[in-house]
Amino acid sequence: MAVKLYIDAIREAMQEEMRQNPNVFVLGEDVGLRGGVFRVTQGMIEEFGPERVLDTPLAESAIVGVAIGAAAYGMCPIAEIQFADFIMPAVNQIISEAAKLRYRTQGDWHCPLVIRAPYGGGVHGALYHSQSVEALFYHVPGLKIVTPATAADAKGLLRAALRDPDPVLFFEHKGMYRAIRDDVPEGDYTVPIGKARVVREGDDLTVITYGLMVHHALTAAGQLAADGISTHLIDLRSILPLDRETIVEAARRTGKVLIVHEDNKTGGIGAEVSAIIAEEALFDLDAPIARLCGPDVPAMPFSAPLEAFYMLNPTKIEDAMRKLAAF
Amino acid sequence: MAVKLYIDAIREAMQEEMRQNPNVFVLGEDVGLRGGVFRVTQGMIEEFGPERVLDTPLAESAIVGVAIGAAAYGMCPIAEIQFADFIMPAVNQIISEAAKLRYRTQGDWHCPLVIRAPYGGGVHGALYHSQSVEALFYHVPGLKIVTPATAADAKGLLRAALRDPDPVLFFEHKGMYRAIRDDVPEGDYTVPIGKARVVREGDDLTVITYGLMVHHALTAAGQLAADGISTHLIDLRSILPLDRETIVEAARRTGKVLIVHEDNKTGGIGAEVSAIIAEEALFDLDAPIARLCGPDVPAMPFSAPLEAFYMLNPTKIEDAMRKLAAF
Amino acid sequence: MAKLDLVKPNNGSQEEATPRHRALGLRDEDVRAMYRTMVLTRLLDERMWLLNRAGKIPFVVSCKGQEGSQIGAAFALDPTRDYVAPYYRDFGVVLHFGMSARDIMLSAYAKAEDPNSGGRQMPGHFSSRAHHILSGSSPVSTQIPHAVGMALAARMRGEKLVTYTSFGEGSSNQGDFHEAANFAGVHKLPVIFFCENNLYAISIPQDRQLGCAHVADRAIGYGMPGVLVDGNDVLAVYEAVSQAVLRGLNGDGPTLIEAVSYRINPHSSDDDDRSYRTREEVEEAKRNDALEVFRAELIGCGVWTEDDEVALREELRSVVDEATEYAQKAPLAEPESTLDHVYAK
Amino acid sequence: MAKLDLVKPNNGSQEEATPRHRALGLRDEDVRAMYRTMVLTRLLDERMWLLNRAGKIPFVVSCKGQEGSQIGAAFALDPTRDYVAPYYRDFGVVLHFGMSARDIMLSAYAKAEDPNSGGRQMPGHFSSRAHHILSGSSPVSTQIPHAVGMALAARMRGEKLVTYTSFGEGSSNQGDFHEAANFAGVHKLPVIFFCENNLYAISIPQDRQLGCAHVADRAIGYGMPGVLVDGNDVLAVYEAVSQAVLRGLNGDGPTLIEAVSYRINPHSSDDDDRSYRTREEVEEAKRNDALEVFRAELIGCGVWTEDDEVALREELRSVVDEATEYAQKAPLAEPESTLDHVYAK
Ligand SMILES: Cc1ncc(C[n+]2csc(CCOP(=O)(O)OP(=O)(O)O)c2C)c(N)n1
Ligand SMILES: Cc1ncc(C[n+]2csc(CCOP(=O)(O)OP(=O)(O)O)c2C)c(N)n1
Ligand SMILES: [Mg+2]
Ligand SMILES: [Mg+2]
């Protein structure tokens, strides 16, 4: 085990898979000499050359569409979308094509594609460099969606994604690239897609979240623990499929559930998590299912006070947790 | 009042608004001489000419993008997407542009745009002419989404949409065009966006649904009534914003809620409806919140038995209602 | 309709003595095989249209009038080497690539055994890994970047081939065409972009669809040659595509070919074309029908006879009969199979 | 980098005695005004870059090196008649359309009073209904169809004007460019598609971005003229855009203009360009800086002097100082205002 940055864990997963599997390659805008605008692919063109670390023209639908064709042919492309906000032009290729290729051919063709995209706010990215886009895709059967919160999970989930025979959207929170570091196991491990992680166990209330908010919730849970309130904290890790079992079990265990996400509330991941609980564990609940999310505005503003108003933080989460615990 | 077909009500709303308001015009593929592939715009080019019933090149992102520019300039375009499935190439324009224009300019610019699209299945449309796409957009603040179930609502909601200063997605179920007819009020009425309709009142259980399923649920409610089970039936009409008040009131009234939609389940509109109830009326519930939806598969197949398996119908709804009533 | 100014590629020797096909390196049996596939395509098309009109199959999309483009293109490719991402009218192409009449009919009847999709997709949504046909969907032009991706993948693996993708002139206005063509142009990938310009996109004639005179005019914008060819001249198409194949195999990059013909039937079995074009125009187009033109040429140069024609028609009619009967009797998929193949097991 | 073969439009009389600008119908005060806006653009740009490096403002995107293209284009338009949908580097264009230095600085500091967005958007995301500037977003090329839509709307209302939209050469590969250009081509709309080719899209040089030699080569694919012009020659750009304006007003449809210059600064304040281009290349480009070239030309023909220069710099420096100070002191928006303007009240 060695402590590694989130961003380095992602790069390592790509590098190690590319060393082992000649079918894996990266394509995207500025992934080559520039090493990506966040430096996620830094150094990779030097090791693997410009064919396997392929700078593409500025056209997301082509990046994904070309990657789908290459995946169908037998490669395992990693398509990097420079910012998750810019995945929108590729939605047709992702939803109409990648998600449906296996289904419409009864498995004769399939699409082992990974799409990586940095998402999330709190970094002065303004309306179009801060969005969370996972809710756009979690309604789409045929896709898988993961969003790791730790370096260890990032590496293990990216490896799993690269070995998955179906398309996986890999969303990396740009605010965590260089802010999160943790113990990353040595060797060839994977983290299974579809399994949530119990971050800490507790009995008074459950917090279910993912991405950057896992860390904020953990901080908040620490504050509550000081007052003897014990939090059961779930990091979903996979958004599609959701780990129903872990969700339901956690709801049953504490009877109180707070769902937290940075993304805006209406129609977000929290809606489905809540609906699963209301479907399967309703009579175990001691409080209404609470959601604490970004406000329902089109996106996060540039202006610092507005961005701060939009973003959740440990204090806001702590407040919501205390309110729920006291219910 | 006169009984009118759903499709005719939609056409009439467009024609009447176009007669009154020179800013309203239609653009899309084959809307002119052909009158649209479903004949929704039939006869309109003859009345309004080819500038106001504008045939466009085959390019959805341009249809919506050009309409956005025209709307910003002061027109009220109706952009027809030939099938809702083909809205995907326009997602970037809808989500990045139409939904955010007002917000990002603090109202200095805005976008009075209506996008009409026929959606839904059960018509041998196969994977790409049957989809429900509303869940793709209901997470997007800045948009409004309506999906009328009756001719009267279709006309009133389309008028309201055309007078709304913000972008409205108007989804019309293609299976209802010529199958649904009902009393349409005379004169210049609108149906407010954001208000659900209580289709029938009842006390034993609540069914919340929209679109074609309203009719199937009504049939099912009739069957249950014969056995003395009384159903409270809500037609959401608007998907964004949802009518929280009517939803919560209905849940409180019966304590049992079944949410029904044709669209697949995970992350669908039912998730948010359920989450709203679990948030606001949890302790009024006598049963878990149930959802009856399309299966989580990428889309509805062409093959008749598979399509029938996918689609909900009165019998499937009735079964779910009886199960819930008996809970 | 814009007046077309067709630039035919080199037509080979003009001497009466040397038939055009020999100048192109085609043997007599090659052109007979081409003609055979053309007729099979036509007979299948006509049969499906009839079955639809008789209420036996719910939907059909027709390639009638485009067989010259399709057969000319397909025979310039190597089905064991190359890959295709065809569009929904490319019956002629997929038949040459190995689809059988039975496969086509199984798809028309949406039966479980349909190799394209097991009846999940509408007819015209071709797919077969065994036959190097990449599955297509309904939203137009999405297949174009896929062909580029296959070419990229093949090059990365050191495999020499070309990929072919087709689309209508209307569909050449989608962003995906532009993005894919530019990608192929930058990376000099062996892709053949084959536009079947049939003058209409449903009801929209090309002058309200295309800002330009010819789709081929777009090629320079991607740094590739643009070739305009008469789609009713199967040998001219063959020649244009053969040259593009050579370019691709030589590492000289992609080619955009526009083959102009006419869509003789309505857009699909759900369309009624009377609102947007005259009967005279359709009748006029039928007079240029590639099938008739090609037969006349083959007869003219002595590689085909009226007797051959009778025998071929008889043989293929029974192929189509057998396929229809088989497909009609074949079982439908099980309802619960709706849930299968969302993800790998 | 592809070798550029610049086709300059008519340069007016070549006689020494007649300065080029007069041949173009520009008065001396016009070119002085053009130069003034160019210098203001440059000084604002340099100030913002400094402020960013000093940690005072979080982000800046620079137009340094593209002022010739922008000013040449903007002055050919009529800000009271025409509408623009500019891209993020078009500081020169929006200054001519009525944005003030203060407005630019309010945006840089993301203050409540910023007329573009009240500080909601990053700098470079211009907007002002009063000044006929349609709001832009960050995803590239989405503004291109908007300009087409404005032109369509104006024509429907019988209003004579042109719309202008700009984008980088990289962004000309997005589907939205293609779809919008074709739409304008089919409907002969008065749109000026202005590509500011600065040879890079972040780190990608144009030969790995464009399959073609010139973005202007794409014009024929939409049935419009394509004009390649030296973006460092402000009068050449002015002439090309003026001709496009005439075409538009005459009902002759759209024009695609490619103005080639260079992006002197890194892509944005977050970029470091040393990994992808040499310092020599950047230094070389600075020698063609439009600002220097234009000043030399104005001095050469006697409409500008070194004294004018000193006075102008002094004046504009104080304009920029004042704007900076004002913006720095201006209040930020209230946190709760995050919730405003999602829908109309
Ligand atoms: C993205 C998308 N938009 C609309 C449609 C509906 N549609 C199907 S075919 C067609 C016309 C296609 O015309 P063209 O590309 O010329 O091909 P043709 O049918 O003439 O062969 C349209 C509009 C579609 N399938 N996909
Ligand atoms: C759809 C989209 N993808 C990616 C980006 C990130 N991005 C911003 S500017 C840029 C390069 C643009 O290059 P070009 O069009 O040449 O304009 P320039 O910046 O050189 O003026 C990229 C990739 C974006 N803003 N939008
Ligand atoms: Mg066509
Ligand atoms: Mg550039």
Side-chain angles (χ1 to χ4, degrees), chain B residues 35-51:
Chain B
V37 293
F38 290 102
R39 306 300 113 78
V40 182
T41 55
Q42 187 152 43
M44 288 176 64
I45 193 170
E46 287 80 4
E47 178 175 355
F48 301 104
E51 281 242 309

Side-chain angles (χ1 to χ4, degrees), chain C residues 73-130:
Chain C
F75 275 77
L77 303 171
D78 179 345
T80 63
R81 175 195 66 198
D82 302 329
Y83 279 77
V84 295
Y87 95 123
Y88 46 84
R89 294 197 200 279
D90 256 350
F91 286 89
V93 172
V94 300
L95 282 168
H96 181 61
F97 265 69
M99 284 264 160
S100 67
R102 204 185 256 197
D103 294 339
I104 298 290
M105 281 298 174
L106 283 163
S107 161
Y109 279 92
K111 293 302 176 69
E113 210 188 314
D114 158 32
N116 298 281
S117 75
R120 287 176 174 200
Q121 294 224 78
M122 289 176 158
H125 290 61
F126 308 109
S127 177
S128 166
R129 177 184 279 276

Side-chain angles (χ1 to χ4, degrees), chain A residues 23 25 51 55 59 61-62 65-66 69-70 73-75 92-93 97 102-106 108-109 142-143 165-166, chain C residues 116-118 120-121 127 129 133 135 137 142 145-146 149-150 153 156-157 159 161 176 179 187 338 340-341 343-344:
Chain A
N23 292 326
F25 73 104
E51 281 242 310
D55 276 324
S61 190
V66 168
Y73 193 84
M75 303 295 287
N92 189 33
Q93 283 291 344
E97 303 301 321
R102 176 186 293 282
Y103 191 73
R104 73 185 187 221
T105 64
Q106 301 201 102
D108 191 36
W109 291 100
L143 300 179
D166 290 307
Chain C
N116 298 281
S117 75
R120 287 176 174 200
Q121 294 224 78
S127 177
R129 177 184 279 276
I133 301 164
S135 163
S137 64
T142 51
H146 301 172
M150 290 196 294
M156 291 178 80
R157 292 191 169 182
E159 288 156 12
L161 52 72
D176 269 4
E179 298 190 5
H187 291 286
T338 305
D340 299 341
H341 300 296
Y343 300 100

Side-chain angles (χ1 to χ4, degrees), chain A residues 29 60 82, chain D residues 87-89 138 140 168-171 198 200-201 267:
Chain A
E29 295 156 10
E60 284 74 10
Q82 200 160 75
Chain D
Y87 96 123
Y88 47 85
R89 294 199 200 277
S138 309
V140 298
E169 81 292 347
S171 304
N198 59 12
Y200 285 90
H267 174 73

Side-chain angles (χ1 to χ4, degrees), chain C residues 177-178 181-182 185-186 218-224, chain D residues 178 211-212 218 222:
Chain C
F177 162 75
H178 175 74
N182 185 60
V186 169
R218 295 183 168 169
I220 188 178
Y222 312 112
M224 62 179 86
Chain D
H178 174 74
C212 50
R218 294 182 168 170
Y222 313 112

